[in-house]
Amino acid sequence: ISNFTPKAFVSPCSFFWDHRTHDMNDSPSSASPLQGRRILLVEDEAVVSMMLEDLLIGFGCEVVGPAARLQKAVDLATHATVDGALLDINIGGETAYPIAKILSERGIPFAFSTGYTAAFVNEAYRERPMVQKPFHAEKLREVLTRMLSKAAI
């Protein structure tokens, strides 16, 4: 299975893997703006979490977590050294807003990863970047790069 490169993945959250923009055998470029960035990953769907983790590593990021439960995510958001975060809004039936609040208070940028529309997002966080599921690897890379570059300003 180590040579297995999925072309698409469909789950209840409809995650899409675009094999044209990410090859599991690629090594991250040192020129990548995401190289070495520590990203907190909060995702409760195990398979989606593994695929996101692989994408982030492929972008050159270091994954913190992943956290599949709210309390673990809160602990990591409170104590871990991270440059940014990718949060699934619905974590096992609970919202990620307590995590978002902690990250906001710490000045750590984050984006939501969700299948919900922007109307579902708490008004306090509607201006935060959002990656809609299903999404493409390049869209995720673009959102993270933009999010982290704005944080540096």
Side-chain angles (χ1 to χ4, degrees), residues 47-120:
V47 175
V48 175
S49 179
M50 288 186 290
M51 294 183 99
L52 283 169
E53 184 173 10
D54 185 63
L55 280 172
L56 291 170
I57 290 168
F59 297 159
C61 299
E62 181 180 334
V63 176
V64 176
R69 299 288 173 253
L70 183 64
Q71 189 55 55
K72 179 178 179 184
V74 165
D75 290 345
L76 288 170
T78 302
H79 302 292
T81 300
V82 296
D83 298 302
L86 183 61
L87 312 176
D88 185 2
I89 290 179
N90 184 342
I91 308 161
E94 299 180 271
T95 66
Y97 301 132
I99 305 157
K101 182 176 189 290
I102 293 165
L103 294 170
S104 294
E105 289 170 353
R106 291 185 64 195
I108 297 170
F110 60 90
F112 291 112
S113 168
T114 184
Y116 296 108
T117 65
F120 177 81

Side-chain angles (χ1 to χ4, degrees), residues 29-37 59 141 145 148:
S29 165
S30 60
S32 168
L34 298 175
Q35 184 68 35
R37 303 308 282 281
F59 297 159
R141 182 192 317 255
T145 300
L148 293 170

